[in-house]
Amino acid sequence: MTKALKHAELTPANVTGLEGVIVANTVLSDVDGVKGALLLRGKPIEALAGHLSFEDAIAHLWQDLVSLPSGDLRRAFGTARVRAFAGVAAMQATPADLTVFERMRVGLSALSLHETQTPDAVAISGAMPVLLAAAQRIKEGLSPIAPDSGLRTAEDLLRMLLGTPAPGHAVEAVDRYLVTILDHGLNASTFAARVIASTQADMRDAVIGAMGALKGPLHGGAPGPVLDMLDAVGRPENAASWVDQELSSGARLMGFGHRVYRTRDPRADVLKAGLRKLPQNNPKLVLAEAVEMAALAALAKAKPDRALDTNVEFYTAVLLDAVGIDRSLFTPLFAVGRTPGWCAHVLEQQATGKLIRPGSRYVGPKPDA
């Protein structure tokens, strides 16, 4: 048995954070960090994002987990959005200094569940776009806009958020993004949801807990700083010198490297392909490509023994900015797209799992002899 560590020896090198530990079996998604591949229910993410609507991708992920009375997820989500709007009053009564993300949690807590035959996964996932749009408009001093149950999720989200119908290319871009981040293995927020579900707490509790994990800058809070980085670079011709200066100062380049992927994050290319479908007058895309090229070259030179490639946050930032989504909403929008994945993991955990209770190694002081 390994000798117990002294308190002074407790360093990141010997605190593993459960890396490599298997805690669940799942049919939902498979992240292959070596090959740079992501499967959702056996289909590559490249075959889903840009090809299926958000609702159809969710239906693919939820098969055998969620039973819809109507059999039509788009219709069910539309109905769920209308019902969720009744809870917006609770968000309007919150203190003025709450963030959008915090107001969304209030709205989710106030959401009426169990009053109809609608599964909780549908009610919660369908409500999230309404909560985001209403929270942002309340923050701006505007009246929330009621949902239109006949629209697709991405289309209605943009309409409720921006106040006018969005152009088709913007709807398709947001749809692509939501599908791209639908599920991604046992990341921090999904693990949090499964831990909470394993205690037999309800799905809403699990999703609220997952939102707390997502909020952290090492998880869902990363895309916004990518835009801050691009703003700091300013022009494509500045990219190489700016990147070199940042690396020499020990700073981290936002949008590069991943905890799991040891090669390029496949979601980055899915979102970059989506950018190509937008009107080609986006100077920030040109800047982003210059920064990406400079960063990859500099990272390969500075850290030849460590694979640091483009991750999903890099082109998330550029894509969402291009369709008019404020950078402060990137994490809340991440929650909208990931909630159906969290719900699927909750259902899977409830069906097959038991209480998740890992052990710990005590490295504190011993009692006096």
Side-chain angles (χ1 to χ4, degrees):
M1 181 178 292
T2 304
K3 186 177 180 181
L5 295 173
K6 295 179 180 178
H7 183 69
E9 296 174 333
L10 185 60
T11 66
N14 51 50
V15 178
T16 63
L18 297 182
E19 187 168 357
V21 177
I22 304 300
V23 299
N25 293 323
T26 183
V27 301
L28 298 173
S29 60
D30 180 36
V31 183
D32 189 325
V34 176
K35 295 180 179 178
L38 169 61
L39 299 180
L40 266 61
R41 284 269 187 171
K43 291 187 178 293
I45 191 62
E46 296 89 345
L48 298 174
H51 300 279
L52 296 184
S53 69
F54 186 43
E55 292 86 352
D56 287 343
I58 295 170
H60 170 70
L61 187 70
W62 281 1
Q63 57 186 286
D64 304 323
L65 287 174
V66 179
S67 177
L68 298 176
S70 68
D72 185 339
L73 192 58
R74 175 173 166 174
R75 185 183 307 125
F77 271 12
T79 301
R81 289 198 303 275
V82 171
R83 289 179 178 146
F85 193 70
V88 166
M91 301 168 67
Q92 292 174 304
T94 56
D97 60 350
L98 259 59
T99 66
V100 167
F101 209 68
E102 289 165 342
R103 278 202 179 88
M104 288 173 69
R105 290 198 300 242
V106 171
L108 184 54
S109 296
L111 184 66
S112 294
L113 299 175
H114 318 305
E115 295 182 359
T116 69
Q117 296 301 310
T118 303
D120 285 356
V122 174
I124 292 170
S125 298
M128 291 296 278
V130 176
L131 303 182
L132 184 153
Q136 175 65 6
R137 291 184 68 83
I138 292 168
K139 177 184 174 183
E140 295 174 340
L142 302 171
S143 297
I145 296 174
D148 182 340
S149 63
L151 301 180
R152 286 162 43 194
T153 296
E155 185 177 10
D156 206 19
L157 169 60
L158 287 171
R159 186 191 63 85
M160 290 186 292
L161 180 63
L162 303 177
T164 58
H169 66 262
V171 173
E172 294 303 321
V174 171
D175 222 6
R176 176 184 290 259
Y177 168 71
L178 294 173
V179 173
T180 300
I181 49 95
L182 176 58
D183 195 48
H184 196 248
L186 218 56
N187 53 82
S189 59
T190 300
F191 181 56
R194 289 194 78 130
V195 170
I196 295 169
S198 80
T199 71
Q200 297 186 2
D202 64 25
M203 183 174 288
R204 174 173 22 212
D205 293 328
V207 171
I208 290 174
M211 290 177 71
L214 183 71
K215 186 179 177 183
L218 295 184
H219 189 10
V226 170
L227 288 187
D228 298 337
M229 178 181 71
L230 297 179
D231 290 343
V233 176
R235 300 172 61 85
E237 56 267 30
N238 299 338
S241 60
W242 189 92
V243 166
D244 288 342
Q245 182 177 347
E246 287 294 290
L247 289 179
S248 64
S249 69
R252 178 186 173 192
L253 298 181
M254 303 308 297
F256 298 91
H258 193 275
R259 181 68 180 266
V260 176
Y261 293 115
R262 295 298 174 258
T263 183
R264 190 175 180 86
D265 186 334
R267 299 169 299 173
D269 286 330
V270 169
L271 296 179
K272 189 174 183 179
L275 274 160
R276 298 292 188 196
K277 295 181 178 295
L278 296 177
Q280 295 302 303
N281 56 353
N282 183 3
K284 195 156 285 183
L285 175 58
V286 177
L287 172 61
E289 290 179 325
V291 171
E292 180 184 30
M293 185 179 301
L296 294 179
L299 288 168
K301 181 178 179 181
K303 303 177 186 293
D305 58 339
R306 184 180 175 193
L308 292 170
D309 213 321
T310 312
N311 65 36
V312 68
E313 282 88 7
F314 189 79
Y315 281 110
T316 288
V318 184
L319 181 73
L320 297 182
D321 178 73
V323 298
I325 304 291
D326 187 82
R327 69 189 71 186
S328 68
L329 296 179
F330 289 176
T331 302
L333 189 59
F334 194 155
V336 172
R338 184 56 58 84
T339 294
W342 291 333
C343 292
H345 279 271
V346 168
L347 292 168
E348 196 174 56
Q349 182 66 35
Q350 290 172 338
T352 64
K354 62 180 183 178
L355 179 68
I356 297 175
R357 207 296 191 185
S360 61
R361 182 175 57 234
Y362 178 70
V363 295
K366 302 295 184 183
D368 294 336

